[in-house]
Short mmCIF file of all heavy atoms in Angstrom, two decimals:
data_model
loop_
_atom_site.label_atom_id
_atom_site.label_comp_id
_atom_site.label_asym_id
_atom_site.label_seq_id
_atom_site.Cartn_x
_atom_site.Cartn_y
_atom_site.Cartn_z
N MET R 1 5.72 11.10 9.74
CA MET R 1 6.24 12.02 10.75
C MET R 1 7.66 12.27 10.41
O MET R 1 8.40 11.39 10.03
CB MET R 1 6.11 11.44 12.12
CG MET R 1 6.65 12.42 13.13
SD MET R 1 6.94 11.86 14.78
CE MET R 1 8.12 10.63 14.56
N VAL R 2 8.11 13.55 10.54
CA VAL R 2 9.51 13.93 10.28
C VAL R 2 9.92 14.83 11.47
O VAL R 2 9.30 15.88 11.70
CB VAL R 2 9.68 14.69 8.93
CG1 VAL R 2 11.09 15.12 8.82
CG2 VAL R 2 9.28 13.81 7.80
N ASN R 3 10.85 14.37 12.21
CA ASN R 3 11.39 15.19 13.32
C ASN R 3 10.27 15.68 14.31
O ASN R 3 10.31 16.77 14.73
CB ASN R 3 12.24 16.31 12.88
CG ASN R 3 13.44 15.89 12.10
OD1 ASN R 3 14.08 14.84 12.46
ND2 ASN R 3 13.78 16.59 11.08
N GLY R 4 9.27 14.81 14.59
CA GLY R 4 8.22 15.21 15.52
C GLY R 4 7.11 15.95 14.93
O GLY R 4 6.19 16.44 15.66
N PHE R 5 7.09 16.12 13.60
CA PHE R 5 6.05 16.90 12.99
C PHE R 5 5.33 16.04 11.91
O PHE R 5 5.94 15.21 11.21
CB PHE R 5 6.60 18.20 12.29
CG PHE R 5 7.11 19.19 13.29
CD1 PHE R 5 8.46 19.12 13.67
CD2 PHE R 5 6.24 20.05 13.88
CE1 PHE R 5 8.87 20.01 14.61
CE2 PHE R 5 6.73 21.00 14.80
CZ PHE R 5 8.06 20.94 15.24
N ILE R 6 4.03 16.24 11.77
CA ILE R 6 3.18 15.48 10.81
C ILE R 6 3.58 15.91 9.38
O ILE R 6 3.77 17.05 9.09
CB ILE R 6 1.77 15.80 11.03
CG1 ILE R 6 1.29 15.40 12.45
CG2 ILE R 6 0.85 15.17 9.99
CD1 ILE R 6 1.39 13.97 12.72
N HIS R 7 3.79 14.84 8.55
CA HIS R 7 4.12 15.08 7.18
C HIS R 7 3.47 14.00 6.23
O HIS R 7 3.51 12.81 6.62
CB HIS R 7 5.66 15.03 6.97
CG HIS R 7 6.10 15.20 5.57
ND1 HIS R 7 5.90 16.37 4.89
CD2 HIS R 7 6.72 14.31 4.75
CE1 HIS R 7 6.42 16.23 3.63
NE2 HIS R 7 6.92 14.96 3.58
N ASN R 8 2.84 14.48 5.20
CA ASN R 8 2.36 13.56 4.15
C ASN R 8 1.25 12.55 4.71
O ASN R 8 1.38 11.39 4.50
CB ASN R 8 3.49 12.81 3.47
CG ASN R 8 3.04 12.21 2.18
OD1 ASN R 8 2.15 12.69 1.50
ND2 ASN R 8 3.68 11.06 1.80
N VAL R 9 0.27 13.08 5.26
CA VAL R 9 -0.89 12.25 5.80
C VAL R 9 -1.72 11.70 4.64
O VAL R 9 -2.07 12.45 3.70
CB VAL R 9 -1.81 13.09 6.71
CG1 VAL R 9 -2.99 12.23 7.12
CG2 VAL R 9 -1.04 13.62 7.88
N VAL R 10 -1.99 10.44 4.65
CA VAL R 10 -2.84 9.74 3.69
C VAL R 10 -3.91 8.91 4.41
O VAL R 10 -3.51 8.20 5.34
CB VAL R 10 -2.01 8.84 2.80
CG1 VAL R 10 -2.90 8.05 1.82
CG2 VAL R 10 -0.92 9.60 2.03
N PHE R 11 -5.14 9.16 4.08
CA PHE R 11 -6.24 8.35 4.71
C PHE R 11 -6.67 7.22 3.74
O PHE R 11 -6.57 7.36 2.51
CB PHE R 11 -7.41 9.24 4.93
CG PHE R 11 -7.29 10.20 6.06
CD1 PHE R 11 -6.70 11.46 5.88
CD2 PHE R 11 -7.74 9.88 7.34
CE1 PHE R 11 -6.55 12.29 6.96
CE2 PHE R 11 -7.68 10.72 8.37
CZ PHE R 11 -7.02 11.95 8.17
N ASP R 12 -7.13 6.16 4.31
CA ASP R 12 -7.69 5.03 3.57
C ASP R 12 -9.16 5.08 3.89
O ASP R 12 -9.59 4.60 4.98
CB ASP R 12 -7.04 3.72 3.95
CG ASP R 12 -7.56 2.53 3.22
OD1 ASP R 12 -8.13 2.77 2.13
OD2 ASP R 12 -7.37 1.40 3.66
N GLY R 13 -10.03 5.59 2.98
CA GLY R 13 -11.41 5.69 3.24
C GLY R 13 -11.79 7.09 3.74
O GLY R 13 -10.94 8.00 3.77
N GLY R 14 -13.01 7.23 4.18
CA GLY R 14 -13.49 8.56 4.65
C GLY R 14 -13.97 9.45 3.49
O GLY R 14 -13.83 9.01 2.27
N CYS R 15 -14.57 10.57 3.84
CA CYS R 15 -15.01 11.50 2.83
C CYS R 15 -13.83 12.17 2.24
O CYS R 15 -13.01 12.78 2.95
CB CYS R 15 -15.97 12.52 3.47
SG CYS R 15 -17.33 11.71 4.32
N ARG R 16 -13.73 12.16 0.91
CA ARG R 16 -12.51 12.68 0.25
C ARG R 16 -12.19 14.14 0.63
O ARG R 16 -11.07 14.45 1.01
CB ARG R 16 -12.70 12.58 -1.26
CG ARG R 16 -11.43 12.87 -2.01
CD ARG R 16 -11.56 12.57 -3.48
NE ARG R 16 -10.27 12.66 -4.15
CZ ARG R 16 -9.97 13.69 -4.93
NH1 ARG R 16 -10.86 14.63 -5.13
NH2 ARG R 16 -8.78 13.74 -5.50
N GLY R 17 -13.15 14.96 0.63
CA GLY R 17 -12.98 16.41 0.97
C GLY R 17 -12.52 16.54 2.45
O GLY R 17 -11.62 17.33 2.75
N ASN R 18 -13.14 15.85 3.27
CA ASN R 18 -12.80 15.95 4.74
C ASN R 18 -11.43 15.35 4.98
O ASN R 18 -10.65 16.09 5.70
CB ASN R 18 -13.84 15.10 5.53
CG ASN R 18 -13.74 15.33 7.01
OD1 ASN R 18 -13.21 16.40 7.43
ND2 ASN R 18 -14.20 14.41 7.77
N THR R 19 -11.09 14.30 4.42
CA THR R 19 -9.74 13.71 4.69
C THR R 19 -8.68 14.56 4.09
O THR R 19 -7.61 14.77 4.67
CB THR R 19 -9.62 12.25 4.12
OG1 THR R 19 -9.91 12.24 2.68
CG2 THR R 19 -10.53 11.37 4.86
N GLN R 20 -8.93 15.20 2.90
CA GLN R 20 -7.95 16.09 2.30
C GLN R 20 -7.72 17.33 3.15
O GLN R 20 -6.70 17.80 3.32
CB GLN R 20 -8.30 16.43 0.89
CG GLN R 20 -8.13 15.43 -0.17
CD GLN R 20 -8.52 15.82 -1.52
OE1 GLN R 20 -9.42 16.68 -1.72
NE2 GLN R 20 -7.86 15.26 -2.53
N GLY R 21 -8.91 17.81 3.71
CA GLY R 21 -8.82 18.98 4.59
C GLY R 21 -8.04 18.75 5.86
O GLY R 21 -7.22 19.52 6.29
N VAL R 22 -8.36 17.60 6.48
CA VAL R 22 -7.66 17.22 7.74
C VAL R 22 -6.18 17.05 7.45
O VAL R 22 -5.31 17.53 8.21
CB VAL R 22 -8.29 15.98 8.32
CG1 VAL R 22 -7.41 15.49 9.53
CG2 VAL R 22 -9.69 16.23 8.84
N ALA R 23 -5.83 16.37 6.32
CA ALA R 23 -4.46 16.16 6.03
C ALA R 23 -3.71 17.49 5.75
O ALA R 23 -2.59 17.68 6.24
CB ALA R 23 -4.34 15.26 4.75
N ALA R 24 -4.36 18.40 5.11
CA ALA R 24 -3.74 19.68 4.83
C ALA R 24 -3.56 20.49 6.10
O ALA R 24 -2.51 21.16 6.30
CB ALA R 24 -4.57 20.48 3.80
N LEU R 25 -4.54 20.48 6.95
CA LEU R 25 -4.41 21.25 8.21
C LEU R 25 -3.43 20.62 9.18
O LEU R 25 -2.79 21.31 9.97
CB LEU R 25 -5.79 21.28 8.90
CG LEU R 25 -6.84 22.16 8.18
CD1 LEU R 25 -8.23 21.90 8.82
CD2 LEU R 25 -6.49 23.62 8.28
N ALA R 26 -3.26 19.32 9.10
CA ALA R 26 -2.36 18.63 10.04
C ALA R 26 -0.86 18.76 9.52
O ALA R 26 0.07 18.61 10.36
CB ALA R 26 -2.69 17.12 10.14
N GLU R 27 -0.70 19.01 8.25
CA GLU R 27 0.69 19.10 7.71
C GLU R 27 1.50 20.12 8.52
O GLU R 27 1.11 21.30 8.68
CB GLU R 27 0.66 19.53 6.22
CG GLU R 27 2.00 19.54 5.55
CD GLU R 27 2.60 18.22 5.35
OE1 GLU R 27 1.87 17.18 5.29
OE2 GLU R 27 3.85 18.10 5.27
N GLY R 28 2.61 19.64 9.03
CA GLY R 28 3.50 20.50 9.78
C GLY R 28 3.19 20.68 11.24
O GLY R 28 3.86 21.26 12.01
N MET R 29 2.03 20.06 11.65
CA MET R 29 1.66 20.14 13.10
C MET R 29 2.53 19.24 13.91
O MET R 29 2.91 18.16 13.52
CB MET R 29 0.18 19.67 13.17
CG MET R 29 -0.45 19.84 14.56
SD MET R 29 -2.13 19.20 14.65
CE MET R 29 -3.04 20.34 13.69
N ALA R 30 2.85 19.72 15.13
CA ALA R 30 3.59 18.90 16.05
C ALA R 30 2.76 17.63 16.41
O ALA R 30 1.57 17.69 16.61
CB ALA R 30 3.95 19.68 17.33
N LEU R 31 3.48 16.47 16.46
CA LEU R 31 2.82 15.21 16.65
C LEU R 31 1.93 15.21 17.88
O LEU R 31 0.81 14.76 17.91
CB LEU R 31 3.87 14.11 16.82
CG LEU R 31 3.39 12.70 16.90
CD1 LEU R 31 2.75 12.24 15.60
CD2 LEU R 31 4.52 11.76 17.19
N GLU R 32 2.44 15.80 18.99
CA GLU R 32 1.69 15.80 20.26
C GLU R 32 0.47 16.66 20.19
O GLU R 32 -0.41 16.59 21.07
CB GLU R 32 2.61 16.16 21.45
CG GLU R 32 3.16 17.61 21.39
CD GLU R 32 4.52 17.65 20.67
OE1 GLU R 32 4.87 16.72 19.97
OE2 GLU R 32 5.19 18.72 20.83
N ASP R 33 0.39 17.62 19.27
CA ASP R 33 -0.79 18.49 19.15
C ASP R 33 -2.00 17.87 18.49
O ASP R 33 -3.13 18.23 18.70
CB ASP R 33 -0.43 19.78 18.39
CG ASP R 33 0.45 20.73 19.27
OD1 ASP R 33 0.45 20.61 20.45
OD2 ASP R 33 1.12 21.58 18.60
N VAL R 34 -1.75 16.84 17.68
CA VAL R 34 -2.87 16.24 16.93
C VAL R 34 -3.95 15.64 17.84
O VAL R 34 -5.16 16.10 17.71
CB VAL R 34 -2.36 15.10 15.97
CG1 VAL R 34 -3.53 14.31 15.34
CG2 VAL R 34 -1.47 15.76 14.86
N PRO R 35 -3.65 14.80 18.83
CA PRO R 35 -4.71 14.35 19.70
C PRO R 35 -5.39 15.43 20.50
O PRO R 35 -6.62 15.47 20.72
CB PRO R 35 -4.01 13.35 20.63
CG PRO R 35 -2.83 12.92 19.91
CD PRO R 35 -2.36 14.13 19.16
N LEU R 36 -4.64 16.44 20.90
CA LEU R 36 -5.20 17.55 21.65
C LEU R 36 -6.22 18.32 20.89
O LEU R 36 -7.18 18.78 21.43
CB LEU R 36 -4.10 18.48 22.16
CG LEU R 36 -3.00 17.81 23.09
CD1 LEU R 36 -1.91 18.84 23.37
CD2 LEU R 36 -3.67 17.41 24.36
N ARG R 37 -6.00 18.51 19.59
CA ARG R 37 -6.90 19.27 18.75
C ARG R 37 -8.02 18.46 18.08
O ARG R 37 -9.05 18.96 17.82
CB ARG R 37 -6.08 19.98 17.68
CG ARG R 37 -5.15 21.01 18.24
CD ARG R 37 -4.52 21.79 17.08
NE ARG R 37 -3.61 22.81 17.64
CZ ARG R 37 -3.00 23.65 16.89
NH1 ARG R 37 -3.17 23.72 15.60
NH2 ARG R 37 -2.13 24.53 17.47
N LEU R 38 -7.73 17.19 17.79
CA LEU R 38 -8.69 16.46 17.00
C LEU R 38 -9.45 15.37 17.72
O LEU R 38 -10.46 14.88 17.20
CB LEU R 38 -7.96 15.85 15.79
CG LEU R 38 -7.19 16.84 14.89
CD1 LEU R 38 -6.54 16.11 13.72
CD2 LEU R 38 -8.14 17.89 14.35
N ARG R 39 -8.98 14.93 18.89
CA ARG R 39 -9.62 13.79 19.61
C ARG R 39 -11.00 14.27 20.03
O ARG R 39 -11.27 15.35 20.50
CB ARG R 39 -8.81 13.52 20.85
CG ARG R 39 -9.31 12.20 21.54
CD ARG R 39 -8.73 11.07 20.81
NE ARG R 39 -8.47 9.94 21.69
CZ ARG R 39 -9.14 8.80 21.64
NH1 ARG R 39 -10.10 8.64 20.72
NH2 ARG R 39 -8.79 7.83 22.32
N GLY R 40 -12.02 13.36 19.82
CA GLY R 40 -13.31 13.59 20.26
C GLY R 40 -14.21 14.30 19.30
O GLY R 40 -15.43 14.45 19.56
N ILE R 41 -13.74 14.69 18.10
CA ILE R 41 -14.59 15.32 17.12
C ILE R 41 -15.51 14.20 16.57
O ILE R 41 -15.02 13.14 16.15
CB ILE R 41 -13.79 15.95 15.97
CG1 ILE R 41 -13.03 17.17 16.54
CG2 ILE R 41 -14.71 16.36 14.82
CD1 ILE R 41 -12.08 17.79 15.52
N ASN R 42 -16.79 14.46 16.58
CA ASN R 42 -17.80 13.44 16.23
C ASN R 42 -18.32 13.60 14.82
O ASN R 42 -18.30 14.69 14.30
CB ASN R 42 -18.92 13.42 17.23
CG ASN R 42 -19.60 12.14 17.35
OD1 ASN R 42 -19.42 11.22 16.56
ND2 ASN R 42 -20.50 12.01 18.30
N CYS R 43 -18.86 12.61 14.24
CA CYS R 43 -19.46 12.58 12.94
C CYS R 43 -20.59 11.53 12.96
O CYS R 43 -20.85 10.92 13.94
CB CYS R 43 -18.44 12.34 11.88
SG CYS R 43 -19.02 12.63 10.16
N ASN R 44 -21.21 11.31 11.85
CA ASN R 44 -22.19 10.30 11.75
C ASN R 44 -21.66 8.94 12.22
O ASN R 44 -20.57 8.55 11.74
CB ASN R 44 -22.78 10.18 10.34
CG ASN R 44 -23.49 11.39 9.90
OD1 ASN R 44 -24.05 12.12 10.75
ND2 ASN R 44 -23.48 11.67 8.67
N GLY R 45 -22.40 8.21 13.03
CA GLY R 45 -21.94 6.90 13.47
C GLY R 45 -20.93 6.89 14.57
O GLY R 45 -20.46 5.86 14.97
N GLY R 46 -20.66 8.08 15.12
CA GLY R 46 -19.75 8.15 16.24
C GLY R 46 -18.27 8.18 15.92
O GLY R 46 -17.44 8.21 16.83
N HIS R 47 -17.94 8.11 14.67
CA HIS R 47 -16.54 8.21 14.22
C HIS R 47 -16.36 9.36 13.30
O HIS R 47 -17.26 9.73 12.58
CB HIS R 47 -16.16 6.89 13.49
CG HIS R 47 -16.30 5.65 14.31
ND1 HIS R 47 -15.37 5.32 15.27
CD2 HIS R 47 -17.28 4.67 14.37
CE1 HIS R 47 -15.77 4.19 15.82
NE2 HIS R 47 -16.86 3.86 15.30
N SER R 48 -15.17 9.90 13.31
CA SER R 48 -14.82 11.00 12.33
C SER R 48 -13.43 10.82 11.87
O SER R 48 -12.66 10.24 12.51
CB SER R 48 -15.03 12.43 13.01
OG SER R 48 -13.97 12.61 13.95
N CYS R 49 -13.19 11.37 10.70
CA CYS R 49 -11.83 11.34 10.21
C CYS R 49 -10.83 12.01 11.19
O CYS R 49 -9.72 11.48 11.41
CB CYS R 49 -11.71 11.98 8.82
SG CYS R 49 -12.76 11.10 7.56
N PRO R 50 -11.10 13.18 11.74
CA PRO R 50 -10.21 13.81 12.65
C PRO R 50 -10.00 12.96 13.92
O PRO R 50 -8.80 12.75 14.37
CB PRO R 50 -10.85 15.15 13.04
CG PRO R 50 -11.74 15.42 11.91
CD PRO R 50 -12.26 14.14 11.43
N ASP R 51 -11.08 12.33 14.45
CA ASP R 51 -10.85 11.57 15.67
C ASP R 51 -10.07 10.28 15.36
O ASP R 51 -9.22 9.87 16.11
CB ASP R 51 -12.27 11.21 16.24
CG ASP R 51 -12.14 10.49 17.58
OD1 ASP R 51 -11.59 11.12 18.48
OD2 ASP R 51 -12.66 9.36 17.66
N GLU R 52 -10.33 9.65 14.23
CA GLU R 52 -9.60 8.40 13.84
C GLU R 52 -8.11 8.75 13.58
O GLU R 52 -7.25 7.95 14.00
CB GLU R 52 -10.20 7.77 12.62
CG GLU R 52 -11.61 7.23 12.83
CD GLU R 52 -11.63 6.11 13.89
OE1 GLU R 52 -10.73 5.28 13.96
OE2 GLU R 52 -12.60 6.14 14.71
N PHE R 53 -7.86 9.93 13.06
CA PHE R 53 -6.45 10.32 12.84
C PHE R 53 -5.80 10.53 14.18
O PHE R 53 -4.65 10.10 14.41
CB PHE R 53 -6.44 11.62 12.01
CG PHE R 53 -5.05 12.12 11.69
CD1 PHE R 53 -4.01 11.27 11.37
CD2 PHE R 53 -4.78 13.47 11.82
CE1 PHE R 53 -2.74 11.78 11.11
CE2 PHE R 53 -3.49 13.96 11.54
CZ PHE R 53 -2.51 13.10 11.20
N ALA R 54 -6.53 11.16 15.15
CA ALA R 54 -5.92 11.36 16.49
C ALA R 54 -5.66 10.05 17.12
O ALA R 54 -4.57 9.88 17.74
CB ALA R 54 -6.92 12.14 17.35
N LYS R 55 -6.53 9.06 17.00
CA LYS R 55 -6.26 7.78 17.53
C LYS R 55 -5.03 7.05 16.90
O LYS R 55 -4.29 6.40 17.57
CB LYS R 55 -7.52 6.82 17.33
CG LYS R 55 -8.70 7.25 18.21
CD LYS R 55 -9.90 6.42 17.93
CE LYS R 55 -11.14 6.87 18.67
NZ LYS R 55 -12.31 6.12 18.31
N ALA R 56 -4.90 7.22 15.59
CA ALA R 56 -3.75 6.67 14.91
C ALA R 56 -2.45 7.25 15.39
O ALA R 56 -1.45 6.58 15.58
CB ALA R 56 -3.93 6.85 13.37
N VAL R 57 -2.47 8.54 15.63
CA VAL R 57 -1.27 9.21 16.13
C VAL R 57 -0.90 8.71 17.51
O VAL R 57 0.18 8.49 17.86
CB VAL R 57 -1.42 10.76 16.11
CG1 VAL R 57 -0.34 11.45 16.88
CG2 VAL R 57 -1.47 11.22 14.63
N GLU R 58 -1.96 8.62 18.33
CA GLU R 58 -1.79 8.09 19.71
C GLU R 58 -1.20 6.66 19.69
O GLU R 58 -0.28 6.33 20.44
CB GLU R 58 -3.02 8.10 20.49
CG GLU R 58 -3.53 9.48 20.85
CD GLU R 58 -4.94 9.47 21.40
OE1 GLU R 58 -5.80 8.65 21.06
OE2 GLU R 58 -5.14 10.42 22.27
N GLN R 59 -1.72 5.84 18.73
CA GLN R 59 -1.19 4.54 18.57
C GLN R 59 0.34 4.46 18.16
O GLN R 59 1.11 3.76 18.65
CB GLN R 59 -2.00 3.73 17.57
CG GLN R 59 -1.55 2.27 17.38
CD GLN R 59 -2.48 1.53 16.43
OE1 GLN R 59 -3.55 1.98 16.04
NE2 GLN R 59 -2.03 0.38 16.03
N TYR R 60 0.59 5.43 17.26
CA TYR R 60 2.04 5.58 16.80
C TYR R 60 2.95 5.90 17.96
O TYR R 60 4.02 5.35 18.11
CB TYR R 60 2.09 6.65 15.68
CG TYR R 60 3.50 6.93 15.28
CD1 TYR R 60 4.10 6.23 14.21
CD2 TYR R 60 4.28 7.94 15.93
CE1 TYR R 60 5.40 6.44 13.89
CE2 TYR R 60 5.57 8.17 15.59
CZ TYR R 60 6.15 7.49 14.53
OH TYR R 60 7.43 7.69 14.20
N VAL R 61 2.49 6.91 18.80
CA VAL R 61 3.24 7.26 19.94
C VAL R 61 3.56 6.15 20.86
O VAL R 61 4.70 5.93 21.26
CB VAL R 61 2.53 8.41 20.70
CG1 VAL R 61 3.18 8.66 22.00
CG2 VAL R 61 2.50 9.68 19.85
N VAL R 62 2.53 5.29 21.14
CA VAL R 62 2.67 4.17 22.04
C VAL R 62 3.60 3.10 21.38
O VAL R 62 4.57 2.60 22.00
CB VAL R 62 1.32 3.51 22.36
CG1 VAL R 62 1.46 2.19 23.03
CG2 VAL R 62 0.53 4.52 23.20
N GLU R 63 3.34 2.76 20.12
CA GLU R 63 4.09 1.67 19.50
C GLU R 63 5.54 2.06 19.20
O GLU R 63 6.36 1.16 19.06
CB GLU R 63 3.40 1.27 18.20
CG GLU R 63 2.11 0.57 18.40
CD GLU R 63 1.40 0.19 17.14
OE1 GLU R 63 1.85 0.49 15.99
OE2 GLU R 63 0.27 -0.45 17.19
N ASN R 64 5.82 3.36 19.09
CA ASN R 64 7.14 3.76 18.79
C ASN R 64 7.89 4.43 19.95
O ASN R 64 8.95 5.04 19.82
CB ASN R 64 7.18 4.67 17.59
CG ASN R 64 6.74 3.95 16.32
OD1 ASN R 64 7.47 3.27 15.73
ND2 ASN R 64 5.44 4.07 15.92
N SER R 65 7.26 4.31 21.13
CA SER R 65 7.81 4.90 22.38
C SER R 65 8.30 6.31 22.10
O SER R 65 9.36 6.74 22.57
CB SER R 65 9.01 4.01 22.84
OG SER R 65 8.60 2.74 23.07
N TYR R 66 7.47 7.06 21.36
CA TYR R 66 7.77 8.47 21.07
C TYR R 66 7.52 9.32 22.32
O TYR R 66 6.47 9.27 22.90
CB TYR R 66 6.93 8.91 19.87
CG TYR R 66 7.15 10.48 19.56
CD1 TYR R 66 8.22 10.80 18.84
CD2 TYR R 66 6.32 11.42 20.12
CE1 TYR R 66 8.41 12.16 18.54
CE2 TYR R 66 6.52 12.75 19.85
CZ TYR R 66 7.57 13.12 19.04
OH TYR R 66 7.85 14.43 18.79
N THR R 67 8.45 10.17 22.62
CA THR R 67 8.29 11.12 23.67
C THR R 67 8.66 12.47 23.18
O THR R 67 9.59 12.64 22.35
CB THR R 67 9.19 10.82 24.92
OG1 THR R 67 10.51 10.75 24.51
CG2 THR R 67 8.73 9.53 25.57
N ALA R 68 7.93 13.45 23.63
CA ALA R 68 8.19 14.90 23.26
C ALA R 68 8.41 15.64 24.52
O ALA R 68 8.34 15.09 25.62
CB ALA R 68 6.97 15.47 22.53
N ASP R 69 8.74 16.86 24.35
CA ASP R 69 8.94 17.72 25.53
C ASP R 69 7.68 17.82 26.41
O ASP R 69 7.73 17.87 27.59
CB ASP R 69 9.36 19.17 25.10
CG ASP R 69 10.78 19.14 24.56
OD1 ASP R 69 11.54 18.23 24.85
OD2 ASP R 69 11.09 20.08 23.78
N ARG R 70 6.54 17.86 25.68
CA ARG R 70 5.23 17.97 26.39
C ARG R 70 4.75 16.52 26.62
O ARG R 70 4.78 15.70 25.72
CB ARG R 70 4.22 18.74 25.49
CG ARG R 70 4.54 20.17 25.46
CD ARG R 70 3.67 20.95 24.52
NE ARG R 70 2.29 20.37 24.47
CZ ARG R 70 1.43 20.79 23.44
NH1 ARG R 70 1.84 21.70 22.64
NH2 ARG R 70 0.24 20.26 23.41
N GLN R 71 4.23 16.28 27.79
CA GLN R 71 3.73 14.99 28.12
C GLN R 71 2.18 15.00 28.39
O GLN R 71 1.67 14.28 29.21
CB GLN R 71 4.46 14.47 29.41
CG GLN R 71 5.93 14.29 29.20
CD GLN R 71 6.21 13.20 28.19
OE1 GLN R 71 5.62 12.17 28.14
NE2 GLN R 71 7.15 13.51 27.26
N ASP R 72 1.51 15.85 27.65
CA ASP R 72 0.07 15.97 27.93
C ASP R 72 -0.80 15.29 26.92
O ASP R 72 -1.98 15.60 26.70
CB ASP R 72 -0.30 17.52 28.02
CG ASP R 72 0.15 18.27 26.75
OD1 ASP R 72 0.72 17.73 25.89
OD2 ASP R 72 -0.11 19.47 26.75
N LEU R 73 -0.28 14.29 26.28
CA LEU R 73 -1.14 13.46 25.36
C LEU R 73 -2.10 12.71 26.22
O LEU R 73 -1.69 12.12 27.25
CB LEU R 73 -0.26 12.47 24.57
CG LEU R 73 0.63 13.02 23.45
CD1 LEU R 73 1.44 11.95 22.81
CD2 LEU R 73 -0.21 13.73 22.40
N GLN R 74 -3.32 12.63 25.75
CA GLN R 74 -4.33 11.90 26.53
C GLN R 74 -4.87 10.77 25.72
O GLN R 74 -5.12 10.81 24.66
CB GLN R 74 -5.47 12.85 26.88
CG GLN R 74 -4.90 13.99 27.78
CD GLN R 74 -6.04 14.91 28.12
OE1 GLN R 74 -7.14 14.75 27.84
NE2 GLN R 74 -5.65 16.04 28.76
#
């Protein structure tokens, strides 16, 4: 993250094409928008790269006491 925006996303595991696609789409996205757009997307086994990324961003927000102008992270 740089100044509240997603930068240089790297996944450990997952489908290579999917993770590269999610990383490219998230590049430059406002941190608070990631969970709003990606949370709850499902895949085989109940987990998906977008949903796991959303959870990681939410965890980052909590662990780093990050606050943005918008307070609608869920």
Side-chain angles (χ1 to χ4, degrees):
M1 182 193 62
V2 176
N3 297 324
F5 294 91
I6 300 296
H7 177 66
N8 197 30
V9 175
V10 177
F11 285 86
D12 183 18
C15 303
R16 188 169 189 258
N18 191 23
T19 58
Q20 285 180 331
V22 171
L25 290 170
E27 184 69 25
M29 185 183 291
L31 186 67
E32 63 269 17
D33 288 339
V34 171
L36 297 173
R37 292 185 182 187
L38 302 180
R39 189 80 148 114
I41 294 175
N42 205 350
C43 190
N44 295 332
H47 299 282
S48 71
C49 298
D51 188 59
E52 293 299 320
F53 181 45
K55 291 175 185 176
V57 169
E58 290 171 330
Q59 182 178 348
Y60 175 88
V61 167
V62 169
E63 290 178 359
N64 293 281
S65 301
Y66 176 83
T67 57
D69 292 336
R70 290 176 29 192
Q71 297 298 316
D72 53 0
L73 288 178
Q74 299 178 7

